[in-house]
Amino acid sequence: MMHSKSESDITSSAPSSPSRSPKRLVYYVQSPSRDSSHDGDKSLSMHATPNFNSPMESPSHPSFGRHSRNSSASRFSGIFRSSSGRKMSSRKRNDKGWPECSVILEEGNYDEFDADNGKTLTRRCQALMAFLGFLLLFTVFCLIIWGAARNFEPQITLRSLTVNNLYVGSGADFTGVPTKMLNLNGTLRISIYNPATFYGIHLSSPSVDLIYSDIVVATGKLQRYYQARRTHKNAVIVIEGTKIPLYGAGSTLAVTTGGPVQIPLTLSFVLVSNGDVVGKLVTTKHRTSVTCPVNVDSTVNSPMKFSKNNCTFT
């Protein structure tokens, strides 16, 4: 039969067990205090830390997680600033006597900057590719237009040649050498057609010559002008030569003073056409050489027609 112990028995038996009442040791941790570091004083502060019998009683055990983290994270001394840049009060301490400080958070994820750099690089590459693509397409377009425009060469038709004055006589050149001299004055009429469907052309001829035995006896010039697309233009060119020495070529020319003169000549000129297809970026240029034989008679004042089969166009 069990008997319950009285309160006096329990009290009397407690001191008799020395193993259950160990003497609790106290040790000190020396650390620089916050006030001493702030004021420039190098004195150290002493904090009492109790000794614990088991790891479970230690504040660093995970079971006391929040308390241990607060105590370990707060072991800093010196001037502390909040996230807004203000100085924290030196009087604010935790229950252990350590100064409290705010936890410094990370600034952010650095992958954002890498992503932004990638996006910027991708946009630059896309812009460059778009520009190169546009340039390539524009070049192909210009080449197609240029190739198509080369087929539109101006068409030339020789209408007539009228000789107003033809005279061959004896004389001397500027050095005093006696030779036969020739004077000629005439008018050449030509017709030009521009077959281009979408651009106009600029036409000119620097020299329109009448040649006798490789000697230019009369010359003229077609002034530069603009001709619209799909239009016809009749041009008049004045050809003249004054006191042209014939030298040895005149020996084969049988003439009488004041009599009629018949002389075989060759009409030769180059017609130059320039077309602005796409402004000044794409232009076309054609050179057409024309050569026609013609017999000139001083007694005939009517216009002389040209035979298309006898003329050469190159």
Side-chain angles (χ1 to χ4, degrees), residues 110-177:
Y110 290 97
D111 295 337
E112 299 178 357
F113 300 98
D114 297 337
D116 292 341
N117 293 335
K119 291 181 180 178
T120 303
L121 182 61
T122 303
R123 290 174 182 174
R124 290 179 180 177
C125 292
Q126 291 176 354
L128 181 60
M129 293 177 62
F131 176 75
L132 293 178
F134 170 77
L135 187 62
L136 179 61
L137 292 177
F138 182 75
T139 302
V140 172
F141 172 76
C142 291
L143 289 176
I144 294 174
I145 295 298
W146 177 77
R150 289 178 58 86
N151 299 326
F152 298 106
E153 185 176 356
Q155 300 174 4
I156 306 170
T157 302
L158 299 177
R159 294 298 181 185
S160 63
L161 174 65
T162 303
V163 177
N164 301 323
N165 183 21
L166 176 62
Y167 174 79
V168 178
S170 299
D173 62 2
F174 63 94
T175 61
V177 177

Side-chain angles (χ1 to χ4, degrees), residues 268-285:
S268 177
F269 65 94
V270 176
L271 184 67
V272 180
S273 63
N274 294 314
D276 297 335
V277 182
V278 184
K280 297 296 182 180
L281 296 177
V282 181
T283 60
T284 60
K285 185 176 183 179

Side-chain angles (χ1 to χ4, degrees), residues 216-232:
V216 179
V217 295
T219 184
K221 182 178 181 181
L222 177 63
Q223 297 293 338
R224 181 182 175 91
Y225 73 95
Y226 175 79
Q227 185 170 338
R229 59 188 180 92
R230 289 189 173 184
T231 56
H232 290 270

Side-chain angles (χ1 to χ4, degrees), residues 13-24 53-54 57:
S13 63
S16 62
S17 58
S19 59
R20 295 183 182 179
S21 59
K23 185 179 293 185
R24 307 187 72 177
N53 296 329
S54 65
E57 297 178 0

Side-chain angles (χ1 to χ4, degrees), residues 57-94:
E57 297 178 0
S58 175
S60 61
H61 195 269
S63 61
F64 303 92
R66 183 173 181 182
H67 177 74
S68 61
R69 284 197 299 268
N70 292 337
S71 62
S72 60
S74 61
R75 294 176 183 176
F76 297 96
S77 62
I79 302 174
F80 296 90
R81 296 178 181 269
S82 63
S83 59
S84 61
R86 298 178 180 176
K87 292 184 180 180
M88 298 180 63
S89 175
S90 60
R91 298 180 180 178
K92 188 175 182 180
R93 296 175 180 270
N94 58 9

Side-chain angles (χ1 to χ4, degrees), residues 27-31 45-49 98:
Y27 65 94
Y28 294 89
V29 177
Q30 185 176 357
S31 62
S45 60
M46 305 296 288
H47 299 277
T49 304
W98 295 93

